[in-house]
Amino acid sequence: MLKTYFPSYTDVPSNVNIIIEHTLRYADVDEMKELISKYGIQNCKTVWMKYLVPDLRIIKLNYFLAKFIFGLSEEDLSQLFKLPIKNRIDRIPNVSNK
């Protein structure tokens, strides 16, 4: 990947999920295809479902990814966007120190 999509990191992060999430969010189609060939379609789809689908700010991007990158059918799309959404703010207590 030629560009960097990790402005808050000095180097490319070691966490593969962060690499996948940021690339799916900010990259162009060719870079997404490169990402999928490197990490696998299922791994990329899992990260997308977990981190990007719940983000209500990027509904158009999620529709694009679902339809054109992951090849979901119209029926799958309608089911996907009906799922109960747990936003990142709702997940914070699960990862914070107690």
Side-chain angles (χ1 to χ4, degrees):
M1 287 176 235
L2 302 174
K3 302 172 190 167
T4 180
Y5 302 107
F6 318 104
S8 56
Y9 296 88
T10 54
D11 295 322
V12 174
S14 59
N15 186 332
V16 173
N17 291 346
I18 293 173
I19 294 170
I20 293 171
E21 176 188 359
H22 285 243
T23 304
L24 288 174
R25 185 183 291 255
Y26 301 115
D28 61 21
V29 174
D30 291 332
E31 291 169 318
M32 288 179 196
K33 289 180 181 179
E34 182 182 330
L35 177 86
I36 289 169
S37 68
K38 183 173 183 178
Y39 295 108
I41 188 85
Q42 192 56 46
N43 194 18
C44 292
K45 189 174 181 180
T46 301
V47 170
W48 168 67
M49 292 281 295
K50 184 173 182 181
Y51 297 110
L52 295 177
V53 169
D55 193 340
L56 298 175
R57 299 169 298 170
I58 56 172
I59 291 173
K60 290 180 182 180
L61 173 64
N62 282 324
Y63 182 83
F64 170 80
L65 292 171
K67 184 85 173 166
F68 300 106
I69 300 298
F70 298 114
L72 275 71
S73 67
E74 288 296 327
E75 184 178 316
D76 293 337
L77 285 171
S78 65
Q79 294 300 318
L80 175 71
F81 292 116
K82 288 180 185 175
L83 292 174
I85 294 176
K86 189 171 185 181
N87 293 319
R88 284 187 174 205
I89 193 79
D90 299 328
R91 294 192 311 252
I92 288 176
N94 296 336
V95 295
S96 65
N97 294 332
K98 294 181 180 183

